[in-house]
C-alpha cells in the first residue's frame, strides 16, 4: 500500500504543476460569464471527464506512439523537457493574459456569435481540457513516464496499472472542484493570487523541463559510450 501511495504522490507532484487547475479557473470564468449555474456545472463536469480520458489514453497508448514513429525515450525526454520548460517560461514571464490566448479568443468569438444560446458552445474540450489542462507538456511527460517506467524494476505491474488511473482521476476531480468553485476561488485569491501561484508553478516547470533535458542528454551520452 505504501508503494502505491508513493507512486500516486510522485504522479501528482509531476502532473499538478503541468495541469495547473487555477489557470483553468481564470479561463473558465472568462468564457462562462454568460452561462447559468447549470450550464457552468455541466461544462465543469465535461472538462474533468475529458481531462481524465486524455491522460488515460495518453498513458496506455504512449508506448505504441513511440514505437510507431521510431522515437527513442531519450529523444522524447529532451523534446518533452523543452516543451515543459517553454510552458514554464511563458507562465513566469507571460506575454499575454489567459483570456487573450488564441483558443480562448476563438471560443469567445463563438459565444459572441450566439449571445442568447451560450449552451450551444462547448468550452469543455477546447480550451479548458486541451490545451488548458492536458496540454502538450502534460501529454509529453505522461508518454515519457509510461515508456520509461519498467514493470518489476521501478514498481510492480499492478501498481503501474492502478496508480496512473488514480492519479488522473484525482487531477480530474481537482479540476472539477476548482471549476465548480471558480467564483469563490477568484473572490478568495483574486487575479493577483492566481498570477502569483501560476508563476510559482512556472518556476517549477522550468526546473522540471531542464531536468528532463539533462536526463535525456545523459541517456544519449550513456548509449554512445
Amino acid at each position: 500500500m505504501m508503494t502505491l501511495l508513493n507512486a500516486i504522490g510522485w504522479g501528482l507532484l509531476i502532473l499538478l504543476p503541468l495541469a495547473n487547475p487555477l489557470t483553468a479557473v481564470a479561463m473558465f470564468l472568462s468564457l462562462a460569464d454568460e452561462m447559468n449555474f447549470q450550464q457552468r456545472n455541466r461544462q465543469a463536469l465535461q472538462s474533468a471527464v475529458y481531462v481524465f480520458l486524455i491522460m488515460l489514453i495518453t498513458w496506455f497508448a504512449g508506448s505504441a506512439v513511440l514505437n510507431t514513429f521510431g522515437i527513442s525515450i531519450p529523444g522524447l525526454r529532451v523534446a518533452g523537457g523543452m516543451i515543459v520548460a517553454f510552458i514554464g517560461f511563458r507562465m513566469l514571464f507571460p506575454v499575454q493574459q489567459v483570456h487573450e490566448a488564441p483558443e480562448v479568443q476563438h471560443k469567445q468569438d463563438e459565444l459572441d456569435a450566439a449571445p442568447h444560446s451560450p449552451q450551444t458552445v462547448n468550452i469543455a474540450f477546447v480550451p479548458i481540457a486541451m490545451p488548458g489542462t492536458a496540454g502538450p507538456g502534460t501529454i509529453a511527460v505522461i508518454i515519457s513516464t509510461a515508456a520509461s517506467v519498467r514493470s518489476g524494476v521501478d514498481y510492480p505491474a499492478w501498481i503501474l496499472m492502478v496508480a496512473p488511473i488514480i492519479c488522473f482521476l484525482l487531477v480530474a476531480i481537482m479540476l472539477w472542484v476548482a471549476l465548480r468553485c471558480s467564483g469563490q476561488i477568484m473572490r478568495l485569491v483574486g487575479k493577483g493570487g492566481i498570477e502569483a501561484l501560476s508563476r510559482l508553478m512556472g518556476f517549477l516547470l522550468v526546473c522540471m523541463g531542464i531536468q528532463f533535458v539533462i536526463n535525456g542528454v545523459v541517456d544519449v551520452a550513456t548509449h554512445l559510450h
Side-chain angles (χ1 to χ4, degrees), residues 105-202:
Q105 290 292 336
H106 177 69
K107 284 297 176 180
Q108 189 63 61
D109 292 341
E110 289 186 27
L111 289 167
D112 292 340
H116 303 296
S117 55
Q119 70 275 8
T120 62
V121 180
N122 188 292
I123 63 173
F125 189 75
V126 177
I128 302 299
M130 180 185 285
T133 306
T138 307
I139 291 173
V141 168
I142 291 174
I143 292 177
S144 174
T145 305
S148 57
V149 174
R150 291 167 293 177
S151 173
V153 177
D154 299 302
Y155 293 103
W158 71 272
I159 287 183
L160 294 182
M161 287 293 295
V162 174
I165 297 174
I166 296 176
C167 283
F168 304 151
L169 184 61
L170 289 175
V171 171
I173 291 173
M174 290 178 193
L175 175 66
W176 175 68
V177 172
L179 296 183
R180 282 287 299 257
C181 305
S182 55
Q184 295 91 320
I185 291 174
M186 186 60 74
R187 285 193 293 269
L188 181 64
V189 302
K191 290 185 177 179
I194 288 180
E195 289 179 3
L197 289 171
S198 293
R199 295 195 179 196
L200 176 61
M201 294 293 185

Side-chain angles (χ1 to χ4, degrees), residues 5-190:
L5 293 176
N6 178 67
I8 294 172
W10 277 111
L12 290 177
L13 283 175
I14 294 172
L15 286 177
L16 282 179
L18 288 163
N20 195 8
L22 288 180
T23 301
V25 165
M27 194 182 298
F28 184 76
L29 286 175
S30 68
L31 290 172
D33 186 52
E34 300 297 327
M35 296 182 183
N36 59 38
F37 183 74
Q38 289 79 10
Q39 291 164 358
R40 287 190 181 196
N41 289 346
R42 184 167 59 249
Q43 295 289 334
L45 179 60
Q46 288 179 359
S47 299
V49 171
Y50 286 142
V51 165
F52 175 74
L53 292 177
I54 291 169
M55 291 182 173
L56 191 67
I57 292 171
T58 301
W59 174 266
F60 287 106
S63 298
V65 171
L66 295 182
N67 294 332
T68 300
F69 293 97
I71 302 172
S72 66
I73 293 177
L76 182 66
R77 283 179 176 166
V78 172
M82 293 172 66
I83 293 172
V84 171
F86 175 72
I87 294 173
F89 273 117
R90 290 185 61 182
M91 291 171 65
L92 263 178
F93 310 105
V95 295
Q96 60 184 8
Q97 298 298 317
V98 171
H99 64 272
E100 297 173 344
E103 298 85 0
V104 178
Q105 290 292 336
H106 177 69
K107 284 297 176 180
Q108 189 63 61
D109 292 341
E110 289 186 27
L111 289 167
D112 292 340
H116 303 296
S117 55
Q119 70 275 8
T120 62
V121 180
N122 188 292
I123 63 173
F125 189 75
V126 177
I128 302 299
M130 180 185 285
T133 306
T138 307
I139 291 173
V141 168
I142 291 174
I143 292 177
S144 174
T145 305
S148 57
V149 174
R150 291 167 293 177
S151 173
V153 177
D154 299 302
Y155 293 103
W158 71 272
I159 287 183
L160 294 182
M161 287 293 295
V162 174
I165 297 174
I166 296 176
C167 283
F168 304 151
L169 184 61
L170 289 175
V171 171
I173 291 173
M174 290 178 193
L175 175 66
W176 175 68
V177 172
L179 296 183
R180 282 287 299 257
C181 305
S182 55
Q184 295 91 320
I185 291 174
M186 186 60 74
R187 285 193 293 269
L188 181 64
V189 302

